Amino acid sequence: MGGIHPCFHQSNRDLYDLTGSFTYVTLVTVAVLLTPKTDARSVLLLALVVVWAVRLGSFLFRRIRRAGSDERFDNIKPSFPRFLLAWTLQGLWFPSPLQLR
């Protein structure tokens, strides 16, 4: 939740996407490390998820850098309630992998 302040006030889509990817990688890694019994399968799945999240985050970052803006996001930026909703919904995709355990 700490990243919402600079993302909203700077209206920075780059930071928004990078924060989402970094948070996902961090939380999935912590979840695996805090699991009492970590096996090779868990480590392999962690590695695959990290590769996917880094690839997705870097793709979104490069896409916005090239385009200069994101029309879908431009409508959300001026309104804090709409921005907060998008930020919160972004965070909902994290718990889904944990349900598989």
Side-chain angles (χ1 to χ4, degrees):
M1 204 56 187
I4 194 168
H5 187 270
C7 287
F8 178 71
H9 288 291
Q10 295 177 12
S11 296
N12 190 333
R13 175 65 192 202
D14 301 341
L15 187 57
Y16 181 86
D17 290 328
L18 291 176
T19 301
S21 295
F22 176 75
T23 301
Y24 194 79
V25 167
T26 301
L27 293 176
V28 170
T29 302
V30 168
V32 170
L33 293 176
L34 292 178
T35 302
K37 193 174 179 184
T38 304
D39 57 4
R41 187 182 121 204
S42 298
V43 174
L44 175 63
L45 288 174
L46 171 64
L48 293 172
V49 167
V50 167
V51 167
W52 168 79
V54 168
R55 188 211 60 80
L56 178 61
S58 63
F59 166 77
L60 293 172
F61 178 78
R62 285 192 318 265
R63 183 183 72 176
I64 298 303
R65 283 288 175 155
R66 261 185 265 139
S69 69
D70 184 346
E71 289 179 21
R72 298 167 298 166
F73 196 67
D74 289 342
N75 297 329
I76 295 171
K77 283 191 280 190
S79 168
F80 183 74
R82 291 180 77 190
F83 187 87
L84 182 61
L85 177 64
W87 183 273
T88 304
L89 290 175
Q90 171 190 322
L92 290 178
W93 60 288
F94 167 70
S96 57
L98 295 179
Q99 302 302 319
L100 300 175
R101 296 202 113 228

